[in-house]
Amino acid sequence: MHTAAAVFFDSVAAAILARHARELPDLRRVVVLLPNYHVAQPLAQHLARAAQLPAVLLPQLITLNDWAQSVALTQSVTPDSCRATILYQALRARNWFPDADLWGIAAELLSLLDELTRHHVPLPQSEEDFLAQLERAYQAKRNTAMQFEARVVHELWYAMNASGELDAARAMQQRLAQLALQAKAPLYVLLASDLARPERRFLQAYGERAEVTIFDLREMAVREPACAVVYAALGQLDRGNIKQGWGENVDDVHAPAMQLREQAAQLREHFPRSALGQRLRLFAAHGLEQEARAAEVQVRRWLLAGKSSIAIVAQDRLAARRVRALLERAQVQVRDETGWTLSTMAVTTVLMRWLDALQSDFYYQDLLDLLKSPYIFSDSEQGCRKQLVYQLEQLVRKRGVVAHLDTFVEMADAEDQALNAPLARLRQAADLLRKKSDTLAGWLAALHNSLEILGVLPGLAADAAGEQLLGALHTWQQELAADATRFSRGEWRHWLALQLDAETFRDLSIDSPVLITHLAATRWRSFDAVLLLGCDAAHLPSADKKAVWFNDAVRDTLGLPVAAVHRAQQRDDLLALFALNDSVLATWQASRAGEENLLSPYLEMLRGLHTQAYDDDLAETELAGMLDGAQVRTAPGTMPRAAAMPAPSVQASLVPQRISASGYNSLVACPYQYFARHVLHLNELDEVREGIEKRDYGEWVHGILHRFHEEFSLLKEHHRAELEAGLHRISAEVFAQAVARDYWARAWLLRWQQSIPAYIAAQLQGEAAGWRYQSGEVEFELPLEEGLQMKGRIDRIDVQAEAASVVKVLDYKMQDANKLRSKLKQAGEDVQLPFYAHVFEATEAAFVSIEKDQVLAVEPPQDVEQLSAANIARLKNIFALMRSAAPLPANGIDAVCGYCEMRGLCRKAEWK
């Protein structure tokens, strides 16, 4: 037991044993109310040690809530899920909040009604009397808003009470009342802060029949030198009976007008040396990252010092998440007592993704997100499941299907029947939830059955959080089984989201000396060391949840807790933490985003008083200098090098054996880009195009021209009007499906139709020069050398009318002619045309620039045969070097890097 805490537990144990000395060693008649069960073990140890007997039968050590739950009731308790549903129906029927979030309003109102019940607040029978009460509390004349607020609360209060059902708040009242009536055993209570009104009522009623003794940590700690500064700074010594240890002038010490210097002088007089300075230190960080790093380093220092119980009391959850990540990187596991809401966990994500996919009619992104979940089809063999998901994703991206499950099924039937089974399961599961309305229990049953069909249940059952999720769904279904109210799928889903957001999962499988907890959970607990994280003014005291109904003045008039009560409880919890723990480091971000960030007012007052009294501002001065040297690093010999241009080599067995024109262009533009795309096969997956893009336009034009030239192989044999009409007809047919699906396709069609006269004129001009269309969209595979094959597809091949062996290769481009000339200006920079020229032994090659009303042939300025020979020779040489493990550097120019999907892999921004 830690020195600070031992003093208090010794006092409690001594007091209990002194009053029951004659009953020893049997103390089972005694009841001790604990703030939490973490206190049970140290208290039991001190009782056994102080009794100095071979064995002691311990008192009943229990929390008030668990003690009350042990009392049986004759009437069943209505679950909150049912009460919220009843309240929702009442709100929906009255139509007070059209188009509002009725489930959210129902939850807020239910919380208010429970508060009124718990604190024994009776509302007047008359709504007019209640409105008058609100007028006095608000100190304002009644208005529309006040009248509406009074009507809503008053009417719903009596509507909910009229049913005669027993809710959780009334059940607790009855249980406490029965405990008080049955009071016989002496009762001891461990407190660290003021009790709420219901608990005070219970202790008062219990005390009328049996002895009640309260151990208030605030009163016990006032004698401790380390706590004296804390209590003086926060004004705790003006409590009525806390005057011991301060001499005769204690009332003057606590006079409201006393100045800081006078308080400091009193402290020095009664406590010449500060014990607090050895117990508490404050660390001012510059930003979130430094605070998290400082916390992580300090925790590791404590662990190295042999401390086996370390608490991180998280006021700032964002900082706590970062600290936890840093500790886990350093292989320090962390127990989290605060837990996570089920709505944020992966087990719930698969459920919500399933409902998202259903709601969006299987929009492809929702569908792929669902299928990538490790829980979907978890009843199948893992490798097979992953392969099916991969196949479907490839097919979806290849075909560009945007939505609709039936479309996916048709696509699978045509191209990959192995996908039929998983898609059939999706359709079967979806059919269960495709209904307009049902009861909440009915929706939950349908959800469970759909998850069973999808094979999600086995995966959830094998996970601790998933098991809790399944249990919660089953519980809600049972609780709501008798409710016949029907809800739409949207209403049910919103209800489900709120329910999941209220459920907390705590991972009990982690056993670690380091834990994350919250301030209220530290009552009467001691640790080897405590890290108070995020102690700025915004987080300590933390903001109370703003009451939607009634302000503090009205709440105080009604007898409900106000914000000051919440702040006072945090102040008392902070005092108890300092009293019970020998080593505390409090951190905060003294600056945030370049702006000053204030320390918590509690700690600011404490620091100011301690500085005045003992010339010590409690600042931690060593930790900041340790941060850089204490970073987690890899083992010697494996430390990462500074970022530099990557230049990998390829094993001979991994060198690609096929290359396309685009692959060769990639190899010339940046060897590393080629390595990543075609050796590592890290090409980006094709995106599903939801809107019309220019590449869609290019594909349509290619298809139109191929059909046109197959139908009109020689244009000069037809009238100009016939050619234009034929090209317009083919264009309309090719664009028809796109126009039906997307209105903007019509604009692309008009753009192409603007080019038709110029295209026909350019083609007729080519025929006049002796060129004839031979074929289009020609796929090819050509061996270049042993172990390397050229592959691809050429848009079009023309030949000379008088000499069919004279060949020209053409590639359609929906680009400006000047840009194309720029690409061809430098020999070997763009290899597409020379590549095609070699395959088809062409003497000429050109890009066909089609841009609005201009159609131009753009040819390389060099001799095509010589250019082709040089490019092929270079290609062979590069592959020879590649096979001999030559490096492939990331030496692409900025123009290439700007559109390269591999720039995050080569990290050029870091090494350039």
Side-chain angles (χ1 to χ4, degrees):
M1 173 60 67
H2 314 295
T3 305
V7 173
F8 303 110
F9 281 102
D10 282 340
S11 298
V12 173
I16 294 174
L17 293 175
R19 294 179 187 177
H20 302 280
R22 295 182 180 181
E23 302 175 42
L24 287 172
D26 189 353
L27 298 177
R28 288 177 295 175
R29 189 175 68 89
V30 178
V31 179
V32 181
L33 289 185
L34 308 174
N36 55 71
Y37 283 113
H38 299 286
V39 182
Q41 183 178 1
L43 179 58
Q45 290 172 344
H46 279 263
L47 284 169
R49 188 180 303 117
Q52 297 182 346
L53 294 172
V56 175
L57 297 175
L58 294 171
Q60 183 179 3
L61 306 176
I62 195 169
T63 62
L64 180 57
N65 183 68
D66 282 359
W67 197 25
Q69 293 300 322
S70 67
V71 176
L73 298 175
T74 57
Q75 185 178 356
S76 61
V77 179
T78 303
D80 284 345
S81 58
C82 296
R83 297 176 61 229
T85 305
I86 295 171
L87 196 52
Y88 182 93
Q89 295 174 47
L91 291 170
R92 188 166 64 176
R94 288 164 173 78
N95 199 29
W96 282 333
F97 305 95
D99 303 322
D101 174 13
L102 292 188
W103 283 121
I105 295 172
E108 292 163 357
L109 279 168
L110 197 62
S111 177
L112 173 64
L113 298 181
D114 285 344
E115 267 197 301
L116 293 170
T117 300
R118 190 162 49 250
H119 291 86
H120 301 272
V121 177
L123 295 189
Q125 290 288 333
S126 165
E127 184 180 318
E128 178 63 30
D129 293 342
F130 184 49
L131 183 57
Q133 186 178 2
L134 293 184
E135 276 188 295
R136 293 190 295 272
Y138 277 119
Q139 295 183 349
K141 292 183 178 181
R142 68 182 62 186
N143 52 43
T144 304
M146 189 187 299
Q147 289 176 316
F148 179 68
E149 185 177 45
R151 181 186 179 191
V152 170
V153 175
H154 190 271
E155 187 171 329
L156 292 178
W157 163 261
Y158 279 101
M160 293 294 287
N161 289 338
S163 65
E165 295 182 340
L166 186 64
D167 56 54
R170 286 185 172 82
M172 187 65 172
Q173 288 178 343
Q174 291 187 18
R175 289 186 168 110
L176 291 178
Q178 289 190 38
L179 279 178
L181 289 174
Q182 299 167 5
K184 294 179 181 178
L187 180 63
Y188 296 90
V189 185
L190 272 59
L191 289 186
S193 58
D194 289 336
L195 289 169
R197 182 178 298 177
E199 287 76 17
R200 293 201 303 270
R201 283 173 175 260
F202 163 72
L203 291 182
Q204 183 179 359
Y206 194 100
E208 294 173 359
R209 291 173 171 79
E211 182 182 8
V212 176
T213 303
I214 294 178
F215 296 104
D216 193 328
L217 189 60
R218 296 166 297 182
E219 298 178 6
M220 299 168 69
V222 70
R223 301 182 183 88
E224 293 300 313
C227 300
V229 181
V230 180
Y231 276 70
L234 302 188
Q236 290 300 294
L237 297 177
D238 59 355
R239 294 172 58 85
N241 58 348
I242 306 179
K243 298 184 179 181
Q244 303 175 13
W246 283 79
E248 298 178 358
N249 298 323
V250 65
D251 291 326
D252 293 333
V253 171
H254 302 300
M258 176 174 287
Q259 300 297 314
L260 189 64
R261 290 181 180 177
E262 295 173 345
Q263 283 184 307
Q266 290 284 349
L267 282 170
R268 283 195 303 270
E269 178 182 349
H270 294 285
F271 304 101
R273 292 184 178 181
S274 169
L276 183 65
Q278 302 298 319
R279 184 175 294 187
L280 171 66
R281 287 284 127 182
L282 308 176
F283 180 80
H286 299 291
L288 171 64
E289 188 62 22
Q290 190 185 33
E291 182 182 23
R293 287 175 54 204
E296 178 248 347
V297 169
Q298 184 59 61
V299 168
R300 288 197 286 127
R301 289 177 68 195
W302 282 331
L303 288 172
L304 291 172
K307 297 186 184 298
S308 59
S309 175
I310 301 170
I312 301 174
V313 181
Q315 295 300 115
D316 183 347
R317 288 295 294 178
L318 179 62
R321 286 197 293 270
R322 182 59 181 147
V323 172
R324 180 172 185 167
L326 291 174
L327 286 170
E328 290 181 349
R329 186 183 69 173
Q331 298 184 349
V332 177
Q333 292 296 306
V334 180
R335 285 183 290 139
D336 192 344
E337 288 187 351
T338 58
W340 303 88
T341 59
L342 275 181
S343 60
T344 64
M345 305 196 70
V347 293
T348 305
T349 303
V350 64
L351 187 154
M352 301 314 288
R353 282 175 177 169
W354 164 232
L355 296 178
D356 285 338
L358 192 67
Q359 182 175 348
S360 65
D361 195 11
F362 294 90
Y363 174 61
Y364 80 98
Q365 288 187 348
D366 292 333
L367 176 61
L368 293 178
D369 283 346
L370 171 67
L371 295 178
K372 289 176 182 178
S373 169
Y375 298 100
I376 193 78
F377 304 140
S378 61
D379 55 351
S380 303
E381 195 274 323
Q382 185 178 10
C384 178
R385 175 176 60 83
K386 287 185 175 181
Q387 180 63 27
L388 287 173
V389 172
Y390 172 77
Q391 288 175 235
L392 181 59
E393 180 170 12
Q394 293 295 319
L395 192 55
V396 165
R397 295 183 183 279
K398 174 185 174 183
R399 293 285 298 271
V401 179
V402 175
H404 311 308
L405 184 56
D406 290 340
T407 305
F408 293 124
V409 172
E410 293 172 4
M411 178 181 66
D413 282 337
E415 299 199 26
D416 193 343
Q417 294 188 1
L419 296 172
N420 286 346
L423 291 175
R425 294 177 73 174
L426 284 170
R427 176 183 275 172
Q428 183 184 0
D431 288 341
L432 296 175
L433 292 166
R434 281 178 173 152
K435 44 189 175 181
K436 292 184 178 179
S437 67
D438 201 346
T439 63
L440 293 179
W443 281 117
L444 289 170
L447 175 64
H448 181 275
N449 293 336
S450 71
L451 295 177
E452 185 175 22
I453 292 171
L454 294 175
V456 173
L457 297 184
L460 294 182
D463 184 282
E467 190 176 17
Q468 181 176 328
L469 172 62
L470 292 177
L473 293 173
H474 179 68
T475 299
W476 297 330
Q477 185 181 343
Q478 287 187 319
E479 289 176 349
L480 296 163
D483 190 336
T485 310
R486 301 185 73 84
F487 298 87
S488 69
R489 188 169 64 191
E491 289 177 308
W492 162 68
R493 183 172 176 188
H494 188 42
W495 170 86
L496 180 62
L498 291 176
Q499 294 292 109
L500 293 172
D501 204 40
E503 284 283 317
T504 301
F505 171 75
R506 294 177 178 84
D507 189 351
L508 304 179
S509 64
I510 298 177
D511 184 16
S512 170
V514 183
L515 67 90
I516 294 178
T517 189
H518 55 95
L519 190 57
T522 64
R523 293 169 189 167
W524 277 88
R525 293 174 70 181
S526 62
F527 306 91
D528 288 343
V530 175
L531 179 70
L532 264 172
L533 189 68
C535 297
D536 58 11
H539 293 95
L540 184 65
S542 62
D544 192 10
K545 291 183 179 179
K546 296 294 182 183
V548 177
W549 305 91
F550 309 140
N551 62 19
D552 266 6
V554 177
R555 292 174 65 84
D556 189 46
T557 301
L558 294 174
L560 297 175
V562 296
V565 173
H566 178 71
R567 292 194 298 269
Q569 191 169 63
Q570 291 183 79
R571 175 199 62 206
D572 291 344
D573 289 339
L574 188 64
L575 298 175
L577 184 72
F578 292 146
L580 286 164
N581 292 279
D582 295 322
S583 180
V584 180
L585 175 67
T587 69
W588 89 101
Q589 298 171 45
S591 61
R592 178 180 291 170
E595 299 291 333
E596 183 180 5
N597 190 38
L598 298 178
L599 178 63
S600 161
Y602 295 162
L603 297 181
E604 187 63 71
M605 286 189 289
L606 179 57
R607 178 171 66 172
L609 183 57
H610 199 269
T611 302
Q612 287 287 334
Y614 304 108
D615 195 26
D616 177 9
D617 65 358
L618 299 174
E620 164 58 61
T621 57
E622 297 181 358
L623 187 56
M626 299 180 180
L627 298 186
D628 289 336
Q631 290 301 293
V632 176
R633 292 180 173 85
T634 54
T638 61
M639 293 182 63
R641 296 177 299 172
M645 178 192 290
S649 58
V650 184
Q651 293 181 13
S653 61
L654 298 179
V655 174
Q657 296 186 351
R658 303 174 74 199
I659 191 166
S660 64
S662 62
Y664 189 10
N665 260 332
S666 175
L667 184 59
V668 171
C670 175
Y672 184 82
Q673 182 190 81
Y674 177 84
F675 169 78
R677 285 179 177 176
H678 300 284
V679 177
L680 300 181
H681 302 290
L682 299 179
N683 311 54
E684 281 189 334
L685 290 171
D686 293 332
E687 291 295 328
V688 177
R689 299 193 291 277
E690 300 180 47
I692 305 299
E693 298 178 6
K694 192 169 185 179
R695 59 174 168 168
D696 297 302
Y697 170 61
E699 290 175 4
W700 294 328
V701 171
H702 278 65
I704 290 168
L705 293 178
H706 178 58
R707 283 184 55 183
F708 175 71
H709 285 294
E710 290 293 315
E711 185 174 337
F712 301 93
S713 58
L714 195 62
L715 270 61
K716 66 181 183 179
E717 295 179 351
H718 303 273
H719 293 295
R720 182 72 173 260
E722 181 187 358
L723 295 172
E724 289 195 13
L727 195 48
H728 275 283
R729 171 178 51 79
I730 295 171
S731 301
E733 291 172 359
V734 171
F735 270 88
Q737 187 176 0
V739 170
R741 187 176 69 246
D742 190 332
Y743 178 80
W744 290 105
R746 190 178 300 276
W748 290 103
L749 174 59
L750 292 172
R751 177 174 178 168
W752 158 242
Q753 288 173 337
Q754 186 180 355
S755 305
I756 287 177
Y759 182 81
I760 292 176
Q763 180 62 22
L764 289 170
Q765 185 179 355
E767 290 184 0
W771 293 105
R772 301 289 185 267
Y773 171 83
Q774 184 185 66
S775 56
E777 302 298 323
V778 181
E779 294 187 357
F780 62 85
E781 288 190 6
L782 177 70
L784 182 61
E785 60 182 14
E786 185 177 355
L788 182 60
Q789 194 171 43
M790 302 171 71
K791 68 182 181 71
R793 182 174 62 184
I794 181 67
D795 291 347
R796 179 172 144 196
I797 300 171
D798 280 6
V799 296
Q800 273 287 339
E802 297 179 356
S805 60
V806 180
V807 177
K808 178 191 287 188
V809 290
L810 298 171
D811 192 81
Y812 302 127
K813 296 291 185 183
M814 309 300 121
Q815 293 181 21
D816 179 72
N818 290 327
K819 290 183 180 180
L820 295 173
R821 291 191 187 98
S822 178
K823 292 173 69 173
L824 298 176
K825 184 177 181 181
Q826 184 68 36
E829 183 175 329
D830 189 289
V831 303
Q832 189 173 11
L833 291 179
F835 189 92
Y836 293 147
H838 174 80
V839 173
F840 295 98
E841 299 179 350
T843 56
E844 296 191 34
F847 288 133
V848 179
S849 168
I850 302 174
E851 185 69 3
K852 296 182 180 177
D853 58 352
Q854 285 192 338
V855 177
L856 300 172
V858 181
E859 300 178 351
Q862 305 86 10
D863 179 81
V864 169
E865 290 182 288
Q866 293 179 5
L867 181 64
S868 175
N871 273 278
I872 294 303
R874 178 177 62 179
L875 178 60
K876 292 179 179 179
N877 183 51
I878 291 175
F879 266 76
L881 291 171
M882 204 186 306
R883 294 187 190 101
S884 63
L888 298 174
N891 58 10
I893 62 174
D894 290 342
V896 171
C897 298
Y899 296 95
C900 179
E901 74 278 15
M902 301 302 169
R903 58 186 178 274
L905 189 64
C906 76
R907 300 190 298 170
K908 185 175 182 177
E910 297 185 25
W911 54 259
K912 186 177 178 182

